[in-house]
Amino acid sequence: MNAVKPVKNVDDLVKAGLAAPADRAALEAVAARYTIALTPAITTLIDRNHPNDPIARQFVPDTAELIVAPEERADPIGDHAHSPVEGIVHRYPDRVLLKAVHVCPVYCRFCFRREMVGPQGLGTLDAAAMEAAFDYIRSHQEIWEVILTGGDPLVLSPRRLREIMEALADISHVKIVRFHTRVPVVDPEKIDAALIAALKASGKTVYVALHANHVTELTAEARAACARFIDAGIAMVSQSVLLKGVNDDPAILAELMKAFVETRVKPYYLHHPDLAPGTSHFRLTIEEGQRIVAALRGRISGLCQPTYILDIPGGHGKAVVSGSSIRPTGDGCYSVSDYRDGEHCYPPTDEA
């Protein structure tokens, strides 16, 4: 039996039975704008006989991605507005994002940074840019946590990861280092002893935030990869996105959250889909999301309950969707309070 190969373009999709030859031209138009990549682990999970397979929906391109709604924007959560130097996003006082790399092993079709990631995106920080990013962190004593994101930081080699951790180890006011990743799900064999050792640094507590949206993603291999982290003393939390046609059902969502807990991954954030270009076919309304999340109460243990959040467009931070910070205005829109008590309209009516 031939080994499953990575999928990197439309021809690969057709060869893998994930797209019809007749759809080639239409999908090439999608690929010209947004990068395609599926790992063998993900390709193997897709049920070709299921017309609405939740894994295919997340990773196989769709011509609906070419439809851009008026409220959508290239930088939906306002990274650029809070980027004092290349690779750093400093939105909250005590923590920063460090975007060392802008490539991923897979490309989610709903990605909120889809205009920034991939071969056509912002690339990997070079040595000078990395040093400038570390200088920024060194000079801001209030930074307690550094969050490695991007792109997926675990696509980097153990050597590169070790260099990052060694630099952070020398910054005494940084206590927490967090990695946001899909790698344990999409390429579980990459989580080996060398990679795990590279993430450790004296005086730092390390967390790994795993992105998964459907229980099917948590295969035996993925759970074993998580166990390697956890058994090595690296705590894990989860991040998921509430997606139409993937997990927009209380029973499906409950199954995912229970699987996280069984894997020793603490459910953390459930994101309302961001206003990224060409992603309207994934978005529910706020009311629909609130109903689904409310239905989890009593259905699953408190250990399994995620926090349902909305990243306020424009870079104003997160709001808890089920809390008092978001209120309907009666016209199909919402008034959303940020952590500084500023008020914002959702969806936004302009780029302000």
Side-chain angles (χ1 to χ4, degrees), residues 265-277:
V265 176
K266 177 66 181 79
Y268 179 40
Y269 277 156
L270 176 65
H271 294 263
H272 191 78
D274 295 311
L275 298 173

Side-chain angles (χ1 to χ4, degrees), residues 260-333:
F260 280 137
V261 173
E262 292 166 7
T263 309
R264 295 182 286 167
V265 176
K266 177 66 181 79
Y268 179 40
Y269 277 156
L270 176 65
H271 294 263
H272 191 78
D274 295 311
L275 298 173
T279 63
S280 62
H281 55 297
F282 284 108
R283 278 197 302 279
L284 299 87
T285 66
I286 292 288
E287 287 182 341
E288 288 170 330
Q290 287 174 327
R291 285 197 296 270
I292 291 167
V293 173
L296 292 179
R297 293 292 171 186
R299 184 185 291 262
I300 51 176
S301 163
L303 284 173
C304 304
Q305 302 286 345
T307 301
Y308 180 30
I309 61 157
L310 170 74
D311 267 296
I312 304 170
H316 303 289
K318 294 177 174 62
V320 178
V321 179
S322 55
S324 60
S325 58
I326 183 164
R327 301 169 300 284
T329 58
D331 55 359
C333 295

Side-chain angles (χ1 to χ4, degrees), residues 137-150:
I137 296 169
R138 292 183 190 106
S139 67
H140 287 263
Q141 297 284 324
E142 72 274 22
I143 296 173
W144 173 79
E145 180 180 21
V146 174
I147 302 167
L148 274 292
T149 182

Side-chain angles (χ1 to χ4, degrees), residues 4-347:
V4 178
K5 296 180 179 179
V7 171
K8 298 182 179 180
N9 52 49
V10 174
D11 283 344
D12 291 343
L13 286 170
V14 173
K15 291 175 185 175
L18 298 175
D23 295 333
R24 190 188 304 268
L27 292 177
E28 289 287 6
V30 180
R33 180 162 184 181
Y34 304 118
T35 305
I36 297 170
L38 291 79
T39 59
I42 288 299
T43 302
T44 301
L45 286 183
I46 295 173
D47 182 354
R48 275 70 165 173
N49 297 317
H50 190 330
N52 298 305
D53 181 76
I55 307 302
R57 185 164 172 80
Q58 292 184 67
F59 299 106
V60 175
D62 189 310
T63 54
E65 295 173 51
L66 298 175
I67 302 169
V68 179
E71 68 273 14
E72 293 176 342
R73 50 187 64 188
D75 183 17
I77 69 168
D79 279 357
H80 292 322
H82 297 277
S83 184
V85 298
E86 185 181 3
I88 292 285
V89 178
H90 196 175
R91 198 186 323 272
Y92 298 100
D94 72 336
R95 55 204 181 274
V96 295
L97 304 182
L98 174 55
K99 298 195 288 184
V101 63
H102 287 85
V103 297
C104 299
V106 294
Y107 291 99
C108 305
R109 309 322 301 173
F110 51 87
C111 177
F112 68 99
R113 291 195 179 113
R114 62 196 328 225
E115 299 279 2
M116 309 174 200
V117 300
Q120 82 292 351
L122 300 181
T124 300
L125 296 189
D126 61 23
M130 282 296 295
E131 190 57 31
F134 290 133
D135 281 344
Y136 181 87
I137 296 169
R138 292 183 190 106
S139 67
H140 287 263
Q141 297 284 324
E142 72 274 22
I143 296 173
W144 173 79
E145 180 180 21
V146 174
I147 302 167
L148 274 292
T149 182
D152 194 316
L154 296 193
V155 302
L156 295 171
S157 68
R159 178 186 62 81
R160 293 289 303 279
L161 291 167
R162 189 180 310 109
E163 289 172 352
I164 291 170
M165 291 303 293
E166 286 172 351
L168 294 175
D170 290 335
I171 305 175
S172 61
H173 55 269
V174 172
K175 305 298 183 184
I176 309 296
V177 182
R178 192 193 328 168
F179 291 84
H180 285 192
T181 185
R182 262 195 178 278
V183 169
V185 162
V186 305
D187 191 9
E189 292 182 0
K190 185 173 173 59
I191 309 303
D192 59 14
L195 184 146
I196 291 169
L199 301 191
K200 295 191 171 186
S202 177
K204 310 304 175 195
T205 300
V206 178
Y207 283 80
V208 168
L210 174 67
H211 178 181
N213 299 312
H214 194 276
V215 69
T216 305
E217 298 172 59
L218 294 175
T219 62
E221 293 79 10
R223 295 183 192 219
C226 293
R228 291 193 286 275
F229 275 131
I230 296 163
D231 291 344
I234 295 174
M236 294 190 70
V237 296
S238 77
Q239 292 205 110
S240 303
V241 184
L242 187 57
L243 299 167
K244 185 182 293 185
V246 175
N247 56 19
D248 57 331
D249 178 283
I252 292 172
L253 204 57
E255 191 177 12
L256 172 64
M257 296 302 153
K258 289 167 74 173
F260 280 137
V261 173
E262 292 166 7
T263 309
R264 295 182 286 167
V265 176
K266 177 66 181 79
Y268 179 40
Y269 277 156
L270 176 65
H271 294 263
H272 191 78
D274 295 311
L275 298 173
T279 63
S280 62
H281 55 297
F282 284 108
R283 278 197 302 279
L284 299 87
T285 66
I286 292 288
E287 287 182 341
E288 288 170 330
Q290 287 174 327
R291 285 197 296 270
I292 291 167
V293 173
L296 292 179
R297 293 292 171 186
R299 184 185 291 262
I300 51 176
S301 163
L303 284 173
C304 304
Q305 302 286 345
T307 301
Y308 180 30
I309 61 157
L310 170 74
D311 267 296
I312 304 170
H316 303 289
K318 294 177 174 62
V320 178
V321 179
S322 55
S324 60
S325 58
I326 183 164
R327 301 169 300 284
T329 58
D331 55 359
C333 295
Y334 293 81
S335 176
V336 186
S337 300
D338 64 32
Y339 72 102
R340 294 189 178 97
D341 293 325
E343 292 289 325
H344 309 277
C345 180
Y346 181 88

